[in-house]
């Protein structure tokens, strides 16, 4: 049987705030299976539909103190102007520019409000 990625899990100090950030960033909705857990998924999504890899945001008492081993890449933008608009919108939502040693690359590296790195890919 083949493996299928079904969700990404973020640890957060404030699951609902970080969940709202990702829902706004992706244009998705939020739900919760209980206190301390926010589920971010496409509107109308029914798990385990393979159409999307959802995000579960789970409250933890302490912030991450290690370098993240994995980060998300947001889908390729359609133009340089689109990439610039998307980066500006994400910054308005609370993302910040970060330098992870990427050098001169065509994508933009950002961090969400709790410091999780992600990239906005350049048009290809």
């Amino acid at each position: 049987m083949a493996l299928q990625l079904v969700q990404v899990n973020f640890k957060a100090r404030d699951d609902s705030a970080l969940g709202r950030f990702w829902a706004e960033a992706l244009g998705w909705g939020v739900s919760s299976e209980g206190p301390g857990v926010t589920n971010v998924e496409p509107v109308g999504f029914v798990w385990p539909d393979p159409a999307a890899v959802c995000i579960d945001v789970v409250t933890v008492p302490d912030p991450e103190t290690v370098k993240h081993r994995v980060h998300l890449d947001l889908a390729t933008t359609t133009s340089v102007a689109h990439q610039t608009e998307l980066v500006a919108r994400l910054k308005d939502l609370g993302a910040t520019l970060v330098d992870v040693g990427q050098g001169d690359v065509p994508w933009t590296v950002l961090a969400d409000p709790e410091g999780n790195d992600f990239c906005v890919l350049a048009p290809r």
Side-chain angles (χ1 to χ4, degrees), residues 24-115:
E24 288 290 325
L26 297 170
W28 289 5
V30 294
S31 63
S32 180
E33 57 196 67
V37 179
T38 298
N39 310 104
V40 182
E41 52 204 20
V43 175
F45 178 83
V46 178
W47 193 87
D49 186 341
V53 174
C54 299
I55 300 172
D56 284 352
V57 185
V58 180
T59 296
V60 294
D62 298 316
E64 293 278 343
T65 57
V66 297
K67 181 177 177 2
H68 301 116
R69 293 180 286 170
V70 176
H71 69 264
L72 299 179
D73 287 343
L74 297 186
T76 304
T77 52
T78 58
S79 67
V80 173
H82 180 224
Q83 181 184 19
T84 301
E85 287 173 21
L86 181 55
V87 168
R89 187 173 71 78
L90 293 166
K91 288 171 65 178
D92 287 346
L93 292 172
T96 55
L97 291 170
V98 294
D99 183 350
V100 293
Q102 69 268 22
D104 185 25
V105 295
W107 57 85
T108 303
V109 183
L110 298 166
D112 70 19
E114 291 215 11

Side-chain angles (χ1 to χ4, degrees), residues 1-7 48 50 53:
M1 173 187 272
L3 294 176
Q4 177 183 332
L5 184 63
V6 295
Q7 70 189 119
V53 174

